[in-house]
Amino acid sequence: MKANHQLSFLFFYSLLYQKILFGLECFCNSDCPVGSPNETCYTSYKCFAAIEYLEGTTTQVYQYGCTPPEFEGGIFQCRQKHIPHQVPMVFKCCDDQPRCNENLTLEIPIEEQQKYEKNLKRRNMVQSQQVGLVVSVLLILLVFSLYSTHFYLSTLENLKKPNNSSNVKSPDDKSENSTCNSGFTGFNSGFTGFKSRLVQRSFAKDISMVKVVGRGRFSVVYIGLYQDQTLAVKIVDESDEYSWQREQHFYKNQNLGHENILGFIGADIVERDTVDRFLITQYHPFGSLYNFLQNHSFDLPIFFHLLYSSVCGICYLHDPISGFHGKPAIAHRDISSKNILVKDNLQCCISDFALAVEENPGEFDLVPSKAKIPNPRYMAPEVLENPSSCNKSVFFYQKADMYSFSLVMWEILLRYEIKGVAEPYRLPFEEYVGFNPSINQMNDIVNVKKLKPVIAKKYILDSKVRSIIKSMQRTMLHSALSRSSSRRLKIDLYKCMQEIAKLTEIGGSNNNS
């Protein structure tokens, strides 16, 4: 008995000594200190765990971490008694053992949940009514203004006409809208190789197919020539007409003119031996990032160039743009190294929008039943759990995009050279599932076994890419809400670039000295 008391005494004082010397170790899943391994942090006070509603939604968010030094005297004390909040929240603390907050049970009382969700529903209804009223008033004012302007101009024109003009007839104006164009509506803002006269007619029949450069399950991609211009021509199988319609919808209607989005030229249906559905875009000789990585390894500037330009394209898709020439928030849903192309200046651009979805408040099912299933290898954990779900938000699919892109980041990292040597190219999880994994295989790897692509030790030890790897790992997190957004990743990569530039300057100064 005495021995047991002594052991307990020793354990208590060893824990106290460790807390004083190093701080109490806590599990951390958000805003962890830079350099902390295994999702940990240290505090001189207590570990905490919290659950709360994401404000304005019915989504519950879990957070774990360390209380700061000033927390002990703050107004948010680690009380045992639950305190009701306007937005329901449960907050608990502990300090009895390292990472003790992992085991804390968190559950918002049912009464608070029901009250919050009822108030949220009432508030959303009131806001919808207010928005509807404002829009109605603005429309009435606009119609009244247009009518008043038209009446004023008509009256002014009549006053200016001479008296003998009433019997004089003006010649008929010939309409310029009488031509047809087989569905072709214009060019990407960055593409100037064609004359505007091409809008007046179908030119797809006049394109010469040179050779096949890519094949998919439902399409073939050719190099095409029109006069002196080289194009990429994607011919979509008749059985997948929906994807052809969907992709040209995004190109034509959603203002995708951006240097890191594949430039669109036109779409057409051509009747030859069969009925072919054409998507005509800019041609990039390097092809897909998948092909480029198999044939090239590279130094740090190219490594960063490929990463940063790719995330710029994704960020442009994800961010809504307001205004007459704006665009809604878009999620790609099929990010992979095969759907990212490499331009001749080694910038990347995002392609293939057949599975994309756009923000549409009046639409419940974002993913139509006709849509294909994305590549299982790049599916995010939450998508693998329910791949046929169609009633999620654009935000949900954007978070899934970021997980997919983190795997692409890993592919690019493999080909970065350290001392002139890069890792052999391979696909994410290739060693576990081969080249054509099923959804069940990937779910077993990602959600059951919780596996992630292995990062070679030499890259982890390389000071120039260490911060980029941390950004990649934050984007690869299993929890969707904890993942970096495209804008956050873009900012992080820009900061990484600045850090790399400083390291390069320091290295150059040391060599000169």
Side-chain angles (χ1 to χ4, degrees), residues 234 243-251 279 352-354:
K234 182 178 181 180
S243 294
W244 177 76
Q245 294 280 6
R246 190 73 176 167
E247 190 158 9
Q248 65 169 313
H249 159 76
F250 279 95
Y251 276 124
L279 279 171
D352 200 334
F353 298 95

Side-chain angles (χ1 to χ4, degrees), residues 188 251 256 258-263 313 316-317 348-350 353:
N188 180 277
Y251 276 124
L256 297 186
H258 187 273
E259 63 180 340
N260 301 122
I261 303 292
L262 177 61
Y316 181 79
L317 278 181
C348 290
C349 59
I350 311 300
F353 298 95

Side-chain angles (χ1 to χ4, degrees), residues 113-137:
Q113 292 186 42
Q114 293 174 344
K115 182 180 178 182
Y116 169 76
E117 292 176 6
K118 184 177 179 181
N119 290 338
L120 181 63
K121 186 175 180 181
R122 186 186 298 116
R123 187 175 65 184
N124 290 340
M125 188 179 297
V126 171
Q127 288 177 345
S128 299
Q129 292 171 348
Q130 291 174 341
V131 169
L133 180 61
V134 171
V135 170
S136 300
V137 171

Side-chain angles (χ1 to χ4, degrees), residues 340-358:
I340 297 175
L341 303 183
V342 180
K343 301 161 75 172
D344 53 7
N345 63 358
L346 297 184
Q347 282 205 48
C348 290
C349 59
I350 311 300
S351 69
D352 200 334
F353 298 95
L355 303 187
V357 293
E358 60 196 298

Side-chain angles (χ1 to χ4, degrees), residues 13-25 42 98:
Y13 275 95
S14 63
L15 183 63
L16 181 62
Y17 176 75
Q18 181 186 359
K19 183 175 178 181
I20 294 171
L21 188 60
F22 302 107
L24 177 62
E25 179 185 344
Y42 294 90

Side-chain angles (χ1 to χ4, degrees), residues 495-509:
K495 290 179 180 177
C496 293
M497 180 180 66
Q498 292 178 316
E499 291 175 11
I500 291 166
K502 289 178 182 178
L503 286 171
T504 305
E505 288 175 9
I506 294 169
S509 302

Side-chain angles (χ1 to χ4, degrees), residues 297-448:
S297 58
F298 32 77
D299 58 8
L300 189 62
I302 295 176
F303 168 61
F304 185 83
H305 207 48
L306 296 171
L307 278 180
Y308 190 70
S309 58
S310 298
V311 80
C312 284
I314 296 172
C315 189
Y316 181 79
L317 278 181
H318 284 189
D319 283 353
I321 299 174
S322 58
F324 183 74
H325 296 291
K327 55 172 277 298
I330 296 171
H332 188 279
R333 289 188 64 242
D334 199 16
I335 295 290
S336 71
S337 55
K338 290 185 178 180
N339 288 336
I340 297 175
L341 303 183
V342 180
K343 301 161 75 172
D344 53 7
N345 63 358
L346 297 184
Q347 282 205 48
C348 290
C349 59
I350 311 300
S351 69
D352 200 334
F353 298 95
L355 303 187
V357 293
E358 60 196 298
E359 191 171 43
N360 189 346
E363 190 174 349
F364 181 70
D365 292 343
L366 284 184
V367 181
S369 58
K370 297 180 181 178
K372 295 182 296 183
I373 297 293
N375 188 334
R377 185 185 302 276
Y378 294 87
M379 278 187 182
E382 61 274 19
V383 179
L384 285 168
E385 288 177 347
N386 190 7
S388 60
S389 176
C390 59
N391 59 355
K392 302 296 184 181
S393 65
V394 167
F395 177 77
F396 173 89
Y397 293 114
Q398 287 179 346
K399 285 293 188 180
D401 279 353
M402 296 314 296
Y403 175 87
S404 302
F405 183 65
S406 72
L407 299 183
V408 176
M409 293 177 71
W410 178 85
E411 291 177 71
I412 299 173
L413 176 67
L414 287 180
R415 306 300 284 148
Y416 163 56
E417 296 175 352
I418 296 179
K419 296 181 180 179
V421 179
E423 291 286 297
Y425 175 76
R426 59 188 183 275
L427 288 164
F429 305 110
E430 183 182 318
E431 62 271 35
Y432 303 114
V433 294
F435 291 99
N436 295 298
S438 66
I439 292 174
N440 289 336
Q441 285 177 306
M442 290 308 305
N443 188 59
D444 181 63
I445 290 294
V446 174
N447 284 326
V448 179

